[in-house]
Amino acid sequence: MQQIYEILKEIRPEFDFKESNDFIEDGYLDSFDIVSVVSELEASFGILIDGLDIIPENFINVKKICEVVEKNGGKID
Amino acid sequence: MNSREVMTEITKRKEIGVKAASNFFPSAAMEQIEFQTLLGKKTVVFWGNDSTATRVYFHSSDAKELTQLLQEVPSNTVLDYVCKDGLLPRQEIEAAGYRLYASYCKRQISMDKLDLEPKSRKDRLLYDMYKPDCGDYAVEDDLPLIQELLVRVFEPKVDHLYKEDELKEMIKKKEILLYKVKNHIESLYIYKTEGKCLYSAYSYNNATADILYSLERRAREKAREKGVKFMYAWFNEDNYKALRRTLLQDTGMRDYIFVK
């Protein structure tokens, strides 16, 4: 999970992602950021994320992002 | 193809460890669009109409193939590319017949750095002229005037003008402030509250500087009450006057707009 927080921090350093339960609603991530997150997740976990999983609902919090990573073959420590 | 079918084609062409260039960011609005599509081995190029233009999107990990497919896209199309400064595949896009029409930079600032009491006398002038009740929130009857002004002042091709239903929603949310004189809009400020961010979308001023300043500051004061922490805006990089005036800082993000 820490790895995911680090990715998020790198993309939007101005926000404390641990403070939010809904990154989209709170304006922490926009659609461009989501694509950047996907790209970083793919590189960090050595996976390919299915295009159909790239929807805002799957990126609202770290738990949801973990689910996307695991669904696409990644292992979360 | 609809956007889901396009995403399936993109997924088929993704490879582990291979970076791709892409200007497609799935969103709810995209789901309504029917796309024309060109498929290559490592590239998907597709285009469809939104309310203001025919926009082209792509996903590619092969520069040469990207140029070849983009060449087949019809004229009168607009290609937006949002990326960090320096990561634009400009050569590939221009080789396909597109020319850079405009570029925008994203600027942002923490709300607590705005509206501080200025130290210099010059800056103090505007600060002291703030009228918290300046202007009015737009109502639905203002819609034709707002739309007419947006089309006249801004560029539908590049400025992603809001559609009528979006403007109606913003009116309901009190996100449009107007200063009118005899049923003419002299100043306008359109903004969006996106959680902890305030997106400053459109500013127009035909009145004195204190009027627009008051509208903008009024919106910021309201946003602060709602817990908004940051404000951002996209500036045309040719708009030297606005760039010189703004306190917002460069985020490094760019939106390059190409036309063919």
Side-chain angles (χ1 to χ4, degrees):
Chain A
M1 260 194 189
Q2 191 53 35
Q3 209 172 341
I4 292 174
Y5 278 117
E6 279 165 21
I7 288 170
L8 294 168
K9 190 79 193 161
E10 200 174 306
I11 289 165
R12 297 301 297 266
E14 66 271 39
F15 294 123
D16 180 356
F17 284 87
K18 289 183 178 166
E19 266 184 1
S20 169
N21 286 321
D22 191 331
F23 303 153
I24 311 297
E25 187 72 23
D26 286 344
Y28 286 24
L29 294 179
D30 60 23
S31 44
F32 177 78
D33 296 325
I34 290 173
V35 174
S36 303
V37 170
V38 167
S39 174
E40 290 305 316
L41 291 172
E42 289 183 336
S44 299
F45 291 93
I47 57 170
L48 288 178
I49 295 176
D50 189 321
L52 296 178
D53 289 332
I54 308 172
I55 50 171
E57 300 91 282
N58 286 340
F59 294 84
I60 60 168
N61 56 39
V62 168
K63 190 173 168 265
K64 283 278 187 187
I65 297 173
C66 286
E67 284 171 15
V68 171
V69 170
E70 285 174 338
K71 188 185 163 204
N72 288 281
K75 279 192 177 175
I76 308 279
D77 296 331
Chain B
M1 278 188 194
N2 61 33
S3 64
R4 287 181 67 83
E5 290 165 328
V6 170
M7 284 313 291
T8 303
E9 292 299 331
I10 288 173
T11 304
K12 284 183 200 166
R13 286 158 181 81
K14 283 166 80 170
E15 290 173 85
I16 290 178
V18 178
K19 283 257 177 196
S22 179
N23 68 339
F24 182 55
F25 316 117
S27 69
M30 296 275 195
E31 283 173 24
Q32 316 302 322
I33 300 173
E34 187 63 25
F35 294 105
Q36 303 289 310
T37 316
L38 293 169
L39 302 173
K41 273 188 182 168
K42 295 181 175 181
T43 307
V44 179
V45 169
F46 50 108
W47 62 97
N49 297 323
D50 71 10
S51 59
T52 53
T54 303
R55 296 190 189 276
V56 187
Y57 306 94
F58 64 82
H59 181 100
S60 177
S61 55
D62 183 328
K64 208 172 161 188
E65 192 178 56
L66 173 63
T67 300
Q68 282 167 356
L69 293 184
L70 282 176
Q71 276 170 341
E72 294 180 39
V73 176
S75 301
N76 292 318
T77 48
V78 181
L79 189 156
D80 270 61
Y81 196 88
V82 179
C83 62
K84 282 267 178 197
D85 195 15
L87 296 178
L88 172 71
R90 183 170 181 167
Q91 230 179 330
E92 289 82 353
I93 295 169
E94 288 187 332
Y98 283 90
R99 69 182 169 86
L100 186 63
Y101 186 77
S103 61
Y104 285 74
C105 58
K106 185 182 180 183
R107 295 207 168 197
Q108 183 172 288
I109 195 165
S110 171
M111 290 290 277
D112 58 18
K113 288 186 181 157
L114 288 170
D115 307 318
L116 302 173
E117 217 174 313
K119 285 179 186 139
S120 78
R121 241 178 99 181
K122 188 183 141 218
D123 292 340
R124 172 121 222 145
L125 199 66
L126 206 54
Y127 181 85
D128 287 341
M129 286 168 93
Y130 173 54
K131 298 180 202 85
D133 55 355
C134 180
D136 294 296
Y137 288 109
V139 294
E140 256 195 57
D141 286 348
D142 294 316
L143 204 54
L145 283 179
I146 296 168
Q147 285 178 307
E148 184 275 323
L149 185 141
L150 290 177
V151 170
R152 178 165 48 86
V153 176
F154 298 95
E155 273 199 73
K157 246 186 216 175
V158 297
D159 286 323
H160 293 270
L161 300 183
Y162 291 115
K163 288 184 274 183
E164 187 171 320
D165 54 339
E166 290 172 313
L167 288 169
K168 278 185 184 170
E169 190 59 29
M170 295 171 94
I171 286 171
K172 258 191 219 158
K173 288 184 176 169
K174 297 192 168 183
E175 293 179 329
I176 304 180
L177 274 166
L178 302 177
Y179 176 79
K180 290 197 297 184
V181 176
K182 290 180 186 168
N183 210 34
H184 277 275
I185 298 174
E186 294 296 322
S187 298
L188 159 141
Y189 185 49
I190 300 182
Y191 56 97
K192 260 183 135 111
T193 308
E194 300 168 344
K196 299 278 186 279
C197 291
L198 177 75
Y199 169 43
S200 183
Y202 295 101
S203 293
Y204 164 79
N205 196 24
N206 192 37
T208 47
D210 58 304
I211 300 295
L212 181 61
Y213 172 76
S214 291
L215 297 186
E216 291 180 346
R217 189 165 152 193
R218 183 176 171 181
R220 290 195 294 270
E221 301 288 0
K222 192 182 152 205
R224 280 193 191 92
E225 287 168 18
K226 286 184 178 175
V228 167
K229 291 185 175 166
F230 291 91
M231 175 179 154
Y232 76 92
W234 288 91
F235 288 81
N236 188 316
E237 292 196 289
D238 287 336
N239 191 350
Y240 303 117
K241 197 177 157 190
L243 287 169
R244 209 173 44 237
R245 187 177 72 102
T246 186
L247 294 171
L248 278 66
Q249 292 146 3
D250 194 357
T251 61
M253 294 300 299
R254 297 288 181 273
D255 183 4
Y256 298 98
I257 293 148
F258 293 86
V259 293
K260 176 152 87 164

